[in-house]
Amino acid sequence: MKTAKQCKLLILLLCSLITVNQAAAHGLSMTSAEVALRQDKHISLTIRTSLSNLFARMLWPEKPASLLHLASGDNKTLTLFRQQLNHLFTAKMPVYSGKISLDSQQARLPGIQQLRKMLQKEIAGKVLKNHKGKHEHGEQDRQNYLVAYIDGFLLAGDQADNPRELQVQFPTELGDILVSYVEPKVQTLTKGKQHTFYRQLLY
C-alpha cells in the first residue's frame, strides 16, 4: 500500500506531465520567434507562424474572402498580400535597443510563387484533415508555417540613452508567441594535419 507521501508525489508527477503535454500541444499551433544577437550588434529574428491563422487575423481593404480565394487569385492579389506581410514584419513590428530603433530593419519573405505553393498545401491539408490524426496533422501544419526573417543592426550610442536591452513589439496578428533568445559564438577553425579540433566550455 502506498504511503501518503508516495501518493502525493505521484499526483504531483501526473500534474506536471499533464502541464508539459498541454504546453507541447499548444506549442504546435502557436507562433515561435527566435531572437539572435550576432557579433554584438547584428540582430536577427526568425518568425514561424501559421499561415491560415495569420491570414484570418490580418485586415486590409482588398483582402480576399478566404485562403482559397487568395491562392486562386492572380499575381497582383498575392503581391498585395506579400506587401501586407512585409508591412506587418517591419512597420508594425518595431525593434528597439533602449530608445533607438534597429538600423536597416528589413524582412525576408517567401516569393510570390512560393507563397502560392504554401497556400495550396495549406488548403490541401485542411481538405485531408479529417483523414489524419490530430497530432500528425499538427506536425504537418508546422512544416507549412510561414517563415519570416527580420534583421538589422544595433546603433552605437550613449549607454545611458541606449542600454543593452532589446525590445520587440510583436503585432497582435501573430497571436501567442513562444520566444527564444540566443547569442551564437562563431569562430574560424584552422585545419590540422590529421583533424580539425574544436573545444567549447559548456556552462
Side-chain angles (χ1 to χ4, degrees):
M1 179 178 292
K2 293 183 174 65
T3 64
K5 186 175 181 181
Q6 288 175 324
C7 289
K8 186 176 180 180
L9 288 173
L10 181 59
I11 291 171
L12 289 173
L13 177 60
L14 289 174
C15 288
S16 66
L17 288 175
I18 291 171
T19 302
V20 169
N21 288 335
Q22 288 176 339
H26 185 55
L28 284 175
S29 61
M30 71 192 308
T31 297
S32 67
E34 181 182 284
V35 183
L37 173 62
R38 293 180 171 85
Q39 298 177 343
D40 205 39
K41 62 179 180 178
H42 180 242
I43 292 289
S44 66
L45 294 94
T46 303
I47 311 291
R48 292 179 174 84
T49 190
S50 165
L51 190 57
S52 58
N53 290 345
L54 182 60
F55 174 80
R57 297 187 185 108
M58 291 175 66
L59 295 174
W60 69 91
E62 300 177 30
K63 179 181 176 180
S66 67
L67 277 181
L68 181 59
H69 288 84
L70 179 61
S72 59
D74 55 16
N75 284 349
K76 182 180 178 181
T77 303
L78 281 175
T79 298
L80 181 58
F81 176 54
R82 192 174 186 277
Q83 289 173 351
Q84 294 297 322
L85 289 174
N86 187 73
H87 178 73
L88 179 75
F89 290 114
T90 52
K92 294 191 69 174
M93 200 181 82
V95 183
Y96 298 96
S97 175
K99 298 180 180 179
I100 301 178
S101 300
L102 200 65
D103 186 40
S104 302
Q105 182 176 342
Q106 62 178 349
R108 287 175 287 147
L109 299 164
I112 299 301
Q113 297 308 318
Q114 188 177 356
L115 270 177
R116 188 184 299 278
K117 290 179 180 178
M118 291 176 63
L119 288 165
Q120 291 170 347
K121 285 180 64 177
E122 183 70 16
I123 293 168
K126 289 183 179 297
V127 172
L128 296 173
K129 184 176 181 178
N130 294 332
H131 301 284
K132 296 181 180 293
K134 181 180 290 187
H135 180 69
E136 180 182 355
H137 182 71
E139 289 184 349
Q140 289 182 346
D141 283 347
R142 293 287 296 182
Q143 293 175 4
N144 196 41
Y145 266 21
L146 173 73
V147 182
Y149 301 97
I150 299 93
D151 63 358
F153 295 89
L154 299 176
L155 290 174
D158 184 15
Q159 190 69 15
D161 297 328
N162 185 27
R164 299 290 289 179
E165 179 183 65
L166 187 69
Q167 301 174 24
V168 183
Q169 296 181 19
F170 292 104
T172 56
E173 289 88 340
L174 294 176
D176 294 337
I177 306 173
L178 181 67
V179 181
S180 61
Y181 173 79
V182 295
E183 290 186 32
K185 294 183 179 180
V186 181
Q187 58 181 291
T188 300
L189 302 178
T190 302
K191 183 179 70 69
K193 293 182 179 180
Q194 296 181 346
H195 57 262
T196 303
F197 185 72
Y198 174 74
R199 179 175 180 268
Q200 177 66 54
L201 292 177
L202 302 177
Y203 297 96

